[in-house]
Coordinates of all heavy atoms in Angstrom, one line a residue:
M30 N 3.9 -301.8 -122.7 CA 3.4 -300.9 -121.7 C 4.6 -300.3 -120.9 O 5.5 -301.0 -120.5 CB 2.5 -301.8 -120.7 CG 2.4 -301.1 -119.4 SD 0.9 -301.5 -118.5 CE 1.2 -300.7 -117.0
T31 N 4.5 -299.0 -120.7 CA 5.6 -298.4 -120.0 C 5.1 -298.0 -118.6 O 3.9 -297.8 -118.4 CB 6.0 -297.1 -120.7 OG1 4.9 -296.3 -121.0 CG2 6.8 -297.4 -122.0
K32 N 6.0 -298.0 -117.7 CA 5.7 -297.7 -116.4 C 6.5 -296.4 -116.0 O 7.7 -296.3 -116.4 CB 6.2 -298.9 -115.5 CG 5.6 -298.9 -114.1 CD 5.9 -300.2 -113.5 CE 5.4 -300.2 -112.1 NZ 5.8 -301.5 -111.4
T33 N 5.9 -295.5 -115.4 CA 6.5 -294.2 -115.1 C 6.9 -294.2 -113.6 O 6.4 -295.0 -112.8 CB 5.6 -293.0 -115.4 OG1 4.5 -293.1 -114.6 CG2 5.2 -293.1 -116.9
L34 N 7.7 -293.2 -113.2 CA 8.0 -293.0 -111.8 C 6.7 -292.7 -111.0 O 6.6 -293.2 -109.9 CB 9.0 -291.8 -111.7 CG 10.4 -292.1 -112.2 CD1 11.2 -290.8 -112.2 CD2 11.1 -293.2 -111.4
A35 N 5.8 -292.0 -111.6 CA 4.5 -291.7 -110.9 C 3.8 -293.0 -110.7 O 3.2 -293.2 -109.6 CB 3.7 -290.8 -111.8
D36 N 3.8 -293.9 -111.6 CA 3.1 -295.2 -111.4 C 3.8 -296.0 -110.2 O 3.1 -296.6 -109.4 CB 3.3 -296.1 -112.7 CG 2.5 -295.6 -113.8 OD1 1.5 -294.9 -113.6 OD2 2.9 -295.9 -115.0
T37 N 5.1 -296.0 -110.2 CA 5.8 -296.7 -109.1 C 5.5 -296.1 -107.8 O 5.3 -296.8 -106.8 CB 7.3 -296.6 -109.4 OG1 7.6 -297.2 -110.7 CG2 8.1 -297.3 -108.3
L38 N 5.4 -294.8 -107.8 CA 5.1 -294.1 -106.5 C 3.6 -294.4 -106.1 O 3.4 -294.7 -104.9 CB 5.2 -292.6 -106.7 CG 5.1 -291.7 -105.4 CD1 6.3 -292.0 -104.5 CD2 5.1 -290.2 -105.8
A39 N 2.7 -294.4 -107.1 CA 1.3 -294.7 -106.8 C 1.1 -296.1 -106.3 O 0.2 -296.4 -105.4 CB 0.4 -294.4 -108.0
A40 N 1.9 -297.0 -106.8 CA 1.8 -298.4 -106.4 C 2.5 -298.7 -105.1 O 2.5 -299.8 -104.6 CB 2.3 -299.3 -107.5
R41 N 3.1 -297.7 -104.6 CA 3.9 -297.7 -103.3 C 5.0 -298.8 -103.4 O 5.2 -299.5 -102.4 CB 2.9 -298.0 -102.1 CG 1.8 -297.0 -102.0 CD 0.8 -297.4 -101.0 NE 1.4 -297.4 -99.6 CZ 1.3 -296.3 -98.9 NH1 0.7 -295.2 -99.3 NH2 1.8 -296.3 -97.7
E42 N 5.6 -298.9 -104.5 CA 6.6 -299.9 -104.7 C 8.0 -299.3 -104.3 O 8.2 -298.1 -104.4 CB 6.7 -300.3 -106.2 CG 5.6 -301.2 -106.6 CD 5.6 -301.4 -108.1 OE1 6.3 -300.7 -108.8 OE2 4.8 -302.3 -108.5
C43 N 8.8 -300.1 -103.8 CA 10.2 -299.7 -103.4 C 11.1 -300.1 -104.5 O 11.1 -301.3 -105.0 CB 10.7 -300.3 -102.1 SG 9.8 -299.6 -100.7
L44 N 12.0 -299.2 -105.0 CA 12.9 -299.6 -106.0 C 14.3 -299.5 -105.4 O 14.7 -298.5 -104.8 CB 12.8 -298.5 -107.1 CG 13.0 -299.0 -108.6 CD1 12.1 -300.2 -108.9 CD2 12.6 -297.8 -109.5
Y45 N 15.0 -300.6 -105.5 CA 16.4 -300.7 -105.0 C 17.4 -300.7 -106.2 O 17.1 -301.3 -107.2 CB 16.6 -301.9 -104.2 CG 16.0 -301.8 -102.8 CD1 14.7 -302.1 -102.6 CD2 16.8 -301.5 -101.7 CE1 14.1 -302.0 -101.4 CE2 16.2 -301.4 -100.4 CZ 14.9 -301.7 -100.3 OH 14.3 -301.6 -99.0
V46 N 18.4 -299.9 -106.1 CA 19.5 -300.0 -107.1 C 20.6 -300.8 -106.5 O 21.0 -300.6 -105.4 CB 19.9 -298.6 -107.6 CG1 20.4 -297.7 -106.4 CG2 21.0 -298.7 -108.7
N47 N 21.1 -301.8 -107.3 CA 22.2 -302.7 -106.9 C 23.4 -302.6 -107.8 O 23.2 -302.6 -109.0 CB 21.7 -304.1 -106.9 CG 20.3 -304.3 -106.2 OD1 20.2 -304.4 -105.0 ND2 19.2 -304.2 -107.0
C48 N 24.6 -302.6 -107.2 CA 25.8 -302.7 -108.0 C 25.9 -304.1 -108.5 O 25.7 -305.0 -107.8 CB 27.0 -302.3 -107.1 SG 28.5 -302.5 -108.0
G49 N 26.2 -304.2 -109.8 CA 26.3 -305.5 -110.5 C 27.6 -306.2 -110.3 O 27.8 -307.3 -110.9
H50 N 28.6 -305.6 -109.6 CA 29.9 -306.2 -109.5 C 29.9 -307.2 -108.3 O 29.5 -306.8 -107.2 CB 30.9 -305.1 -109.3 CG 32.3 -305.6 -109.6 ND1 33.0 -306.6 -108.8 CD2 33.2 -305.3 -110.6 CE1 34.2 -306.8 -109.4 NE2 34.3 -306.0 -110.4
A51 N 30.3 -308.4 -108.5 CA 30.3 -309.5 -107.5 C 31.1 -309.1 -106.3 O 30.9 -309.6 -105.2 CB 30.7 -310.8 -108.1
M52 N 32.2 -308.3 -106.5 CA 33.1 -308.0 -105.4 C 32.5 -306.9 -104.5 O 33.0 -306.5 -103.4 CB 34.4 -307.4 -105.9 CG 35.2 -308.4 -106.7 SD 36.2 -309.5 -105.7 CE 37.4 -308.3 -105.1
C53 N 31.4 -306.3 -105.0 CA 30.8 -305.1 -104.3 C 29.4 -305.3 -103.8 O 29.2 -305.3 -102.6 CB 30.9 -304.0 -105.4 SG 30.3 -302.4 -104.8
C54 N 28.5 -305.5 -104.7 CA 27.1 -305.8 -104.4 C 26.4 -304.8 -103.5 O 25.6 -305.2 -102.6 CB 27.0 -307.2 -103.7 SG 27.4 -308.5 -104.8
K55 N 26.8 -303.6 -103.6 CA 26.1 -302.6 -102.8 C 24.7 -302.4 -103.3 O 24.4 -302.6 -104.5 CB 26.9 -301.2 -102.9 CG 28.2 -301.3 -102.2 CD 28.2 -300.7 -100.9 CE 29.4 -301.0 -100.0 NZ 30.7 -300.9 -100.6
S56 N 23.8 -302.0 -102.4 CA 22.5 -301.8 -102.8 C 21.8 -300.8 -101.9 O 22.1 -300.7 -100.7 CB 21.7 -303.1 -102.8 OG 20.6 -303.1 -101.9
I57 N 21.0 -299.9 -102.5 CA 20.3 -298.9 -101.7 C 18.9 -298.6 -102.3 O 18.7 -298.8 -103.5 CB 21.2 -297.6 -101.7 CG1 20.7 -296.7 -100.6 CG2 21.2 -296.9 -103.0 CD1 21.7 -295.5 -100.2
K58 N 18.1 -298.2 -101.4 CA 16.7 -297.9 -101.8 C 16.7 -296.6 -102.5 O 17.3 -295.6 -102.0 CB 15.8 -297.9 -100.5 CG 14.4 -297.7 -100.8 CD 13.7 -297.8 -99.4 CE 12.2 -297.3 -99.5 NZ 11.6 -297.4 -98.2
L59 N 16.0 -296.5 -103.6 CA 16.0 -295.3 -104.4 C 14.9 -294.4 -103.7 O 13.8 -294.9 -103.3 CB 15.6 -295.5 -105.8 CG 16.7 -296.0 -106.7 CD1 16.2 -296.3 -108.1 CD2 17.8 -295.0 -106.8
D60 N 15.1 -293.1 -103.7 CA 14.2 -292.1 -103.3 C 13.3 -291.7 -104.5 O 13.8 -290.9 -105.3 CB 14.9 -290.9 -102.7 CG 13.9 -289.9 -102.0 OD1 12.7 -290.0 -102.4 OD2 14.4 -289.2 -101.2
I61 N 12.1 -292.3 -104.6 CA 11.3 -292.0 -105.8 C 10.9 -290.5 -105.9 O 10.9 -290.0 -107.0 CB 10.0 -292.9 -105.8 CG1 10.4 -294.4 -105.7 CG2 9.2 -292.7 -107.1 CD1 10.9 -295.0 -106.9
H62 N 10.6 -289.9 -104.7 CA 10.3 -288.5 -104.7 C 11.4 -287.7 -105.3 O 11.2 -286.8 -106.1 CB 10.0 -288.1 -103.3 CG 8.7 -288.5 -102.8 ND1 7.5 -287.9 -103.2 CD2 8.3 -289.5 -102.0 CE1 6.5 -288.6 -102.6 NE2 7.0 -289.5 -101.8
A63 N 12.6 -288.0 -104.9 CA 13.8 -287.2 -105.4 C 14.0 -287.4 -106.9 O 14.4 -286.5 -107.6 CB 15.1 -287.6 -104.6
L64 N 13.8 -288.7 -107.3 CA 13.9 -289.0 -108.8 C 12.9 -288.2 -109.6 O 13.2 -287.6 -110.6 CB 13.7 -290.5 -109.0 CG 14.9 -291.4 -108.9 CD1 14.5 -292.8 -109.2 CD2 16.1 -290.9 -109.8
I65 N 11.7 -288.1 -109.0 CA 10.6 -287.4 -109.7 C 11.0 -285.9 -109.8 O 10.8 -285.2 -110.8 CB 9.2 -287.6 -109.1 CG1 8.8 -289.0 -109.4 CG2 8.2 -286.6 -109.5 CD1 7.5 -289.4 -108.8
D66 N 11.5 -285.4 -108.7 CA 12.0 -284.0 -108.7 C 13.0 -283.7 -109.8 O 13.0 -282.6 -110.4 CB 12.6 -283.6 -107.3 CG 11.6 -283.3 -106.2 OD1 10.4 -283.2 -106.6 OD2 11.9 -283.3 -105.1
R67 N 13.9 -284.7 -110.0 CA 14.9 -284.4 -111.0 C 14.5 -284.8 -112.4 O 15.0 -284.2 -113.4 CB 16.2 -285.2 -110.6 CG 16.7 -284.8 -109.2 CD 17.9 -285.6 -108.8 NE 19.1 -285.2 -109.6 CZ 20.3 -285.5 -109.2 NH1 20.5 -286.2 -108.1 NH2 21.3 -285.2 -109.9
L68 N 13.7 -285.9 -112.6 CA 13.4 -286.4 -113.9 C 12.0 -286.1 -114.4 O 11.7 -286.3 -115.5 CB 13.7 -287.9 -113.9 CG 15.1 -288.4 -113.5 CD1 15.1 -289.9 -113.3 CD2 16.1 -288.0 -114.5
G69 N 11.1 -285.8 -113.4 CA 9.7 -285.6 -113.8 C 8.9 -286.9 -113.6 O 9.5 -288.0 -113.7
P70 N 7.6 -286.8 -113.3 CA 6.8 -288.0 -113.0 C 6.6 -288.9 -114.2 O 6.3 -290.0 -114.0 CB 5.5 -287.4 -112.5 CG 5.5 -286.0 -113.0 CD 6.9 -285.5 -113.1
D71 N 6.8 -288.4 -115.4 CA 6.5 -289.2 -116.6 C 7.7 -289.9 -117.1 O 7.7 -290.7 -118.0 CB 6.0 -288.3 -117.7 CG 4.7 -287.7 -117.4 OD1 3.9 -288.4 -116.7 OD2 4.3 -286.6 -117.9
H72 N 8.9 -289.8 -116.4 CA 10.1 -290.5 -116.7 C 9.8 -292.0 -116.4 O 9.2 -292.4 -115.4 CB 11.3 -290.0 -115.9 CG 12.6 -290.5 -116.4 ND1 13.1 -291.7 -116.1 CD2 13.5 -289.9 -117.3 CE1 14.2 -291.9 -116.8 NE2 14.5 -290.8 -117.5
G73 N 10.3 -292.9 -117.3 CA 10.1 -294.3 -117.1 C 10.8 -294.8 -115.8 O 11.8 -294.3 -115.4
S74 N 10.2 -295.9 -115.3 CA 10.8 -296.5 -114.1 C 11.2 -297.9 -114.3 O 11.5 -298.7 -113.4 CB 9.9 -296.4 -112.9 OG 8.7 -297.2 -113.1
M75 N 11.3 -298.3 -115.6 CA 11.8 -299.6 -116.0 C 13.3 -299.6 -116.1 O 13.9 -298.6 -116.2 CB 11.2 -300.1 -117.3 CG 9.6 -300.0 -117.4 SD 8.8 -301.1 -116.3 CE 8.9 -302.6 -117.2
H76 N 13.8 -300.8 -116.1 CA 15.3 -301.0 -116.1 C 16.0 -300.1 -117.1 O 16.9 -299.4 -116.7 CB 15.6 -302.5 -116.3 CG 17.1 -302.8 -116.4 ND1 17.8 -303.1 -115.3 CD2 17.9 -302.8 -117.4 CE1 19.0 -303.3 -115.6 NE2 19.2 -303.1 -116.9
W77 N 15.5 -300.2 -118.4 CA 16.2 -299.5 -119.4 C 16.1 -298.0 -119.3 O 16.8 -297.2 -119.9 CB 15.8 -300.0 -120.8 CG 16.3 -301.4 -121.0 CD1 15.5 -302.5 -121.0 CD2 17.7 -301.9 -121.0 NE1 16.3 -303.6 -121.1 CE2 17.6 -303.3 -121.1 CE3 18.9 -301.2 -120.9 CZ2 18.8 -304.0 -121.1 CZ3 20.1 -302.0 -121.0 CH2 20.0 -303.4 -121.1
D78 N 15.1 -297.5 -118.6 CA 14.9 -296.1 -118.4 C 15.9 -295.5 -117.4 O 16.2 -294.3 -117.4 CB 13.5 -295.8 -117.9 CG 12.4 -296.3 -118.9 OD1 12.6 -296.0 -120.1 OD2 11.4 -296.8 -118.4
L79 N 16.3 -296.4 -116.5 CA 17.1 -295.9 -115.4 C 18.5 -296.4 -115.4 O 19.4 -295.7 -114.7 CB 16.4 -296.4 -114.0 CG 15.0 -295.9 -113.8 CD1 14.4 -296.5 -112.6 CD2 15.0 -294.4 -113.6
V80 N 18.8 -297.4 -116.1 CA 20.1 -298.1 -115.9 C 21.3 -297.1 -116.3 O 22.4 -297.2 -115.6 CB 20.2 -299.4 -116.7 CG1 20.2 -299.2 -118.2 CG2 21.4 -300.2 -116.3
G81 N 21.1 -296.3 -117.3 CA 22.2 -295.4 -117.7 C 22.4 -294.3 -116.7 O 23.4 -293.6 -116.8
L82 N 21.5 -294.1 -115.8 CA 21.6 -292.9 -114.9 C 22.5 -293.2 -113.6 O 22.9 -292.3 -113.0 CB 20.2 -292.5 -114.4 CG 19.2 -292.1 -115.5 CD1 17.9 -291.9 -114.9 CD2 19.7 -290.8 -116.1
F83 N 22.7 -294.5 -113.4 CA 23.4 -294.8 -112.1 C 24.7 -295.6 -112.4 O 24.9 -296.3 -113.4 CB 22.5 -295.7 -111.3 CG 21.2 -295.1 -110.8 CD1 20.1 -295.1 -111.6 CD2 21.2 -294.3 -109.6 CE1 18.9 -294.5 -111.1 CE2 20.1 -293.7 -109.2 CZ 18.9 -293.8 -110.0
G84 N 25.6 -295.3 -111.5 CA 26.9 -296.0 -111.5 C 27.3 -296.3 -110.1 O 26.7 -295.7 -109.2
C85 N 28.3 -297.1 -109.9 CA 28.7 -297.4 -108.5 C 30.0 -296.6 -108.1 O 31.0 -296.7 -108.8 CB 29.0 -298.9 -108.4 SG 29.6 -299.3 -106.7
S86 N 29.8 -295.7 -107.1 CA 31.0 -294.8 -106.8 C 32.1 -295.6 -106.1 O 33.3 -295.3 -106.3 CB 30.5 -293.8 -105.8 OG 29.7 -294.3 -104.8
D87 N 31.7 -296.7 -105.4 CA 32.7 -297.5 -104.7 C 33.6 -298.2 -105.7 O 34.8 -298.3 -105.6 CB 32.0 -298.6 -103.8 CG 31.7 -298.1 -102.4 OD1 31.6 -296.8 -102.3 OD2 31.6 -298.9 -101.5
C88 N 32.9 -298.8 -106.7 CA 33.7 -299.5 -107.8 C 34.6 -298.6 -108.5 O 35.7 -298.9 -108.9 CB 32.7 -300.2 -108.7 SG 32.0 -301.7 -108.0
K89 N 34.1 -297.4 -108.8 CA 34.9 -296.4 -109.5 C 36.1 -296.0 -108.7 O 37.2 -296.0 -109.2 CB 34.0 -295.1 -109.7 CG 34.5 -294.3 -110.9 CD 33.5 -293.2 -111.2 CE 34.1 -292.2 -112.1 NZ 33.3 -290.9 -112.2
A90 N 35.9 -295.8 -107.4 CA 37.0 -295.4 -106.5 C 38.0 -296.5 -106.4 O 39.2 -296.3 -106.2 CB 36.4 -295.0 -105.1
A91 N 37.5 -297.8 -106.4 CA 38.4 -298.9 -106.2 C 39.0 -299.3 -107.5 O 39.8 -300.3 -107.6 CB 37.7 -300.1 -105.6
G92 N 38.6 -298.7 -108.6 CA 39.2 -299.0 -110.0 C 38.7 -300.3 -110.5 O 39.4 -300.9 -111.4
R93 N 37.6 -300.8 -110.0 CA 37.1 -302.1 -110.5 C 36.4 -301.8 -111.9 O 36.0 -300.7 -112.1 CB 36.0 -302.7 -109.5 CG 36.6 -303.3 -108.3 CD 35.6 -304.1 -107.5 NE 34.8 -303.2 -106.7 CZ 35.0 -303.0 -105.4 NH1 35.9 -303.6 -104.8 NH2 34.2 -302.1 -104.7
D94 N 36.3 -302.8 -112.7 CA 35.7 -302.6 -114.0 C 34.2 -302.3 -113.8 O 33.6 -302.7 -112.9 CB 35.9 -303.7 -115.0 CG 35.9 -305.1 -114.4 OD1 36.7 -305.2 -113.4 OD2 35.2 -305.9 -114.8
H95 N 33.8 -301.5 -114.8 CA 32.4 -300.9 -114.7 C 31.4 -302.0 -115.0 O 31.5 -302.6 -116.1 CB 32.2 -299.8 -115.6 CG 30.9 -299.2 -115.7 ND1 30.4 -298.4 -114.7 CD2 29.9 -299.5 -116.5 CE1 29.1 -298.1 -115.0 NE2 28.8 -298.7 -116.1
R96 N 30.5 -302.3 -114.1 CA 29.4 -303.2 -114.4 C 28.1 -302.4 -114.2 O 28.0 -301.6 -113.4 CB 29.4 -304.4 -113.3 CG 30.6 -305.2 -113.2 CD 30.7 -306.1 -114.4 NE 32.1 -306.6 -114.5 CZ 32.5 -307.7 -113.8 NH1 31.6 -308.4 -113.0 NH2 33.7 -308.1 -113.9
P97 N 27.2 -302.7 -115.1 CA 25.9 -302.0 -115.0 C 25.2 -302.3 -113.7 O 25.3 -303.4 -113.2 CB 25.1 -302.5 -116.2 CG 25.8 -303.7 -116.7 CD 27.2 -303.7 -116.2
V98 N 24.5 -301.4 -113.2 CA 23.6 -301.6 -112.0 C 22.4 -302.4 -112.4 O 22.1 -302.5 -113.6 CB 23.2 -300.3 -111.3 CG1 24.4 -299.5 -110.9 CG2 22.4 -299.4 -112.3
F99 N 21.7 -303.0 -111.5 CA 20.4 -303.6 -111.8 C 19.5 -303.1 -110.7 O 19.9 -302.7 -109.6 CB 20.5 -305.1 -111.9 CG 20.9 -305.8 -110.7 CD1 20.0 -306.4 -109.8 CD2 22.3 -306.0 -110.4 CE1 20.4 -307.1 -108.7 CE2 22.7 -306.7 -109.3 CZ 21.8 -307.2 -108.5
F100 N 18.2 -303.3 -111.0 CA 17.2 -302.8 -110.0 C 16.3 -303.9 -109.5 O 16.1 -304.9 -110.2 CB 16.3 -301.8 -110.8 CG 17.0 -300.6 -111.3 CD1 17.5 -300.6 -112.6 CD2 17.3 -299.5 -110.5 CE1 18.3 -299.6 -113.1 CE2 18.0 -298.5 -111.0 CZ 18.5 -298.5 -112.3
T101 N 15.9 -303.8 -108.3 CA 15.0 -304.7 -107.6 C 13.7 -303.9 -107.3 O 13.8 -302.8 -106.7 CB 15.6 -305.3 -106.4 OG1 17.0 -305.4 -106.5 CG2 15.0 -306.7 -106.1
C102 N 12.6 -304.4 -107.6 CA 11.3 -303.8 -107.3 C 10.6 -304.6 -106.2 O 10.3 -305.7 -106.4 CB 10.5 -303.7 -108.6 SG 8.9 -302.9 -108.3
I103 N 10.4 -303.9 -105.1 CA 9.7 -304.6 -104.0 C 8.2 -304.1 -103.9 O 8.0 -302.9 -103.7 CB 10.4 -304.3 -102.7 CG1 11.9 -304.5 -102.8 CG2 9.8 -305.2 -101.6 CD1 12.4 -305.9 -102.8
P104 N 7.3 -304.9 -104.2 CA 5.9 -304.5 -104.2 C 5.5 -304.1 -102.7 O 6.1 -304.5 -101.8 CB 5.1 -305.7 -104.7 CG 6.0 -306.7 -105.1 CD 7.4 -306.4 -104.5
D105 N 4.4 -303.4 -102.6 CA 3.9 -303.0 -101.3 C 3.1 -304.2 -100.7 O 1.9 -304.3 -100.7 CB 2.9 -301.8 -101.5 CG 2.2 -301.4 -100.2 OD1 2.8 -301.7 -99.1 OD2 1.2 -300.8 -100.3
Y106 N 3.8 -305.2 -100.2 CA 3.2 -306.4 -99.6 C 2.2 -306.1 -98.6 O 1.2 -306.7 -98.5 CB 4.3 -307.3 -99.0 CG 5.2 -308.0 -100.1 CD1 6.6 -307.8 -100.0 CD2 4.7 -308.8 -101.0 CE1 7.4 -308.4 -101.0 CE2 5.5 -309.4 -102.0 CZ 6.8 -309.2 -101.9 OH 7.6 -309.8 -102.9
E107 N 2.5 -305.2 -97.7 CA 1.7 -304.9 -96.6 C 0.3 -304.3 -97.1 O -0.7 -304.7 -96.6 CB 2.3 -303.8 -95.6 CG 2.3 -304.2 -94.2 CD 3.0 -303.2 -93.3 OE1 2.3 -302.3 -92.9 OE2 4.2 -303.4 -93.1
G108 N 0.4 -303.4 -98.0 CA -0.8 -302.9 -98.6 C -1.7 -303.9 -99.3 O -2.9 -303.9 -99.1
Q109 N -1.0 -304.8 -100.0 CA -1.7 -305.9 -100.7 C -2.4 -306.8 -99.7 O -3.5 -307.3 -99.9 CB -0.8 -306.7 -101.6 CG -0.3 -306.0 -102.8 CD 0.7 -306.7 -103.6 OE1 1.2 -307.8 -103.2 NE2 1.2 -306.2 -104.7
Q110 N -1.7 -307.1 -98.6 CA -2.2 -307.9 -97.6 C -3.4 -307.3 -96.9 O -4.4 -308.0 -96.6 CB -1.1 -308.1 -96.5 CG -1.3 -309.1 -95.5 CD -0.9 -310.5 -96.0 OE1 -0.7 -310.7 -97.2 NE2 -0.9 -311.5 -95.1
R111 N -3.3 -306.0 -96.6 CA -4.4 -305.3 -96.0 C -5.7 -305.4 -96.9 O -6.8 -305.6 -96.4 CB -4.1 -303.8 -95.8 CG -3.7 -303.5 -94.4 CD -3.7 -302.0 -94.1 NE -3.1 -301.2 -95.1 CZ -1.8 -300.9 -95.1 NH1 -1.0 -301.4 -94.1 NH2 -1.2 -300.2 -96.1
K112 N -5.5 -305.2 -98.2 CA -6.6 -305.2 -99.1 C -7.2 -306.6 -99.2 O -8.5 -306.7 -99.1 CB -6.1 -304.8 -100.5 CG -7.2 -304.2 -101.4 CD -6.7 -304.0 -102.8 CE -5.8 -302.8 -103.0 NZ -5.2 -302.7 -104.4
R113 N -6.4 -307.6 -99.2 CA -6.9 -309.0 -99.3 C -7.7 -309.3 -98.0 O -8.6 -310.1 -98.0 CB -5.7 -309.9 -99.4 CG -6.1 -311.3 -99.8 CD -4.9 -312.2 -100.0 NE -3.9 -311.6 -100.8 CZ -2.5 -311.7 -100.6 NH1 -2.1 -312.3 -99.5 NH2 -1.7 -311.1 -101.4
N114 N -7.3 -308.8 -96.9 CA -7.9 -309.2 -95.6 C -8.9 -308.3 -95.0 O -9.3 -308.4 -93.9 CB -6.7 -309.5 -94.6 CG -5.8 -310.6 -95.0 OD1 -6.3 -311.5 -95.7 ND2 -4.5 -310.5 -94.7
R115 N -9.3 -307.3 -95.8 CA -10.1 -306.2 -95.3 C -11.4 -306.7 -94.7 O -11.8 -306.3 -93.6 CB -10.4 -305.2 -96.4 CG -10.9 -303.9 -95.8 CD -11.2 -302.9 -96.9 NE -10.1 -302.7 -97.8 CZ -10.2 -302.3 -99.0 NH1 -11.3 -302.1 -99.6 NH2 -9.1 -302.0 -99.8
E116 N -12.0 -307.7 -95.4 CA -13.3 -308.2 -94.9 C -13.2 -309.5 -94.2 O -14.2 -310.3 -94.1 CB -14.3 -308.2 -96.0 CG -15.0 -306.8 -96.1 CD -15.4 -306.5 -97.6 OE1 -15.8 -307.5 -98.3 OE2 -15.4 -305.3 -97.9
W117 N -12.1 -309.9 -93.8 CA -11.9 -311.2 -93.2 C -11.7 -311.1 -91.7 O -11.0 -310.2 -91.2 CB -10.7 -311.8 -93.9 CG -10.4 -313.2 -93.4 CD1 -11.0 -314.3 -93.7 CD2 -9.3 -313.6 -92.5 NE1 -10.5 -315.4 -93.0 CE2 -9.4 -315.0 -92.3 CE3 -8.4 -312.9 -91.8 CZ2 -8.6 -315.7 -91.4 CZ3 -7.5 -313.6 -90.9 CH2 -7.6 -315.0 -90.8
E118 N -12.3 -312.0 -91.0 CA -12.1 -312.0 -89.6 C -11.9 -313.5 -89.2 O -12.7 -314.3 -89.6 CB -13.3 -311.5 -88.8 CG -12.9 -310.2 -88.0 CD -14.2 -309.7 -87.3 OE1 -14.9 -309.0 -87.8 OE2 -14.3 -310.2 -86.1
P119 N -10.9 -313.8 -88.4 CA -10.7 -315.2 -88.0 C -11.8 -315.6 -87.0 O -12.3 -314.8 -86.2 CB -9.3 -315.3 -87.4 CG -9.1 -313.9 -86.9 CD -9.9 -313.0 -87.8
T120 N -12.2 -316.9 -87.0 CA -13.0 -317.4 -85.9 C -12.2 -317.6 -84.7 O -11.0 -317.9 -84.8 CB -13.7 -318.7 -86.4 OG1 -12.8 -319.7 -86.6 CG2 -14.6 -318.5 -87.6
F121 N -12.8 -317.5 -83.6 CA -12.1 -317.7 -82.3 C -12.9 -318.5 -81.4 O -14.0 -318.1 -81.0 CB -11.8 -316.3 -81.7 CG -11.0 -316.4 -80.4 CD1 -9.7 -316.8 -80.4 CD2 -11.6 -316.0 -79.2 CE1 -9.0 -316.8 -79.2 CE2 -10.9 -316.1 -78.0 CZ -9.6 -316.5 -78.0
D122 N -12.4 -319.7 -81.1 CA -13.2 -320.6 -80.3 C -12.7 -320.7 -78.8 O -13.1 -321.6 -78.1 CB -13.2 -322.0 -80.9 CG -14.0 -322.0 -82.2 OD1 -14.9 -321.3 -82.3 OD2 -13.6 -322.8 -83.1
G123 N -11.8 -319.8 -78.5 CA -11.3 -319.9 -77.1 C -12.3 -319.5 -76.1 O -13.4 -319.0 -76.4
E124 N -12.0 -319.6 -74.8 CA -13.0 -319.2 -73.8 C -13.0 -317.7 -73.6 O -11.9 -317.1 -73.6 CB -12.5 -319.8 -72.4 CG -11.7 -321.1 -72.5 CD -12.6 -322.3 -72.1 OE1 -13.4 -322.1 -71.2 OE2 -12.4 -323.4 -72.7
Ligands
ZN225 ZN1 30.1 -301.5 -106.9

């Protein structure tokens, strides 16, 4: 199963790109809208779809050896929480 940028956007997931070099470890949230503008909504959003597109400018400037970036996907916890608790109300026994 492939996942596209449009899927990632629809799921309200956050995608972070991280530098894989231990001396650097920079990480930044990807702008999915901007990626869709450049790559199209049907472009894959899995690791292998994106890994070749990114590199670390800091490592390049510092002359460190090139390490592939990796991605972290943060689900929409708040949205999931809202859905789970939609019909739930706590009991309250206070005065
Ligand atoms: Zn780096």
Side-chain angles (χ1 to χ4, degrees):
M30 159 153 172
T31 51
K32 197 169 173 185
T33 63
L34 289 172
D36 292 335
T37 300
L38 190 68
R41 304 170 70 90
E42 289 169 349
C43 287
L44 216 51
Y45 285 80
V46 58
N47 310 276
C48 175
H50 199 295
M52 300 276 290
C53 178
C54 292
K55 293 262 163 42
S56 116
I57 194 166
K58 188 174 164 181
L59 281 177
D60 185 340
I61 305 286
H62 285 283
L64 274 182
I65 287 177
D66 280 349
R67 297 178 75 164
L68 304 169
D71 294 331
H72 194 277
S74 64
M75 306 295 282
H76 178 87
W77 293 112
D78 300 317
L79 299 173
V80 68
L82 299 171
F83 295 92
C85 177
S86 51
D87 274 24
C88 284
K89 201 173 169 193
R93 286 190 280 260
D94 35 307
H95 176 79
R96 303 285 166 87
V98 297
F99 62 96
F100 301 92
T101 327
C102 178
I103 313 286
D105 175 24
Y106 289 121
E107 227 179 90
Q109 289 174 358
Q110 191 83 348
R111 258 198 310 276
K112 207 185 281 173
R113 190 179 313 140
N114 296 326
R115 199 182 299 156
E116 273 151 31
W117 181 76
E118 244 182 273
T120 60
F121 181 68
D122 291 328
E124 332 255 323

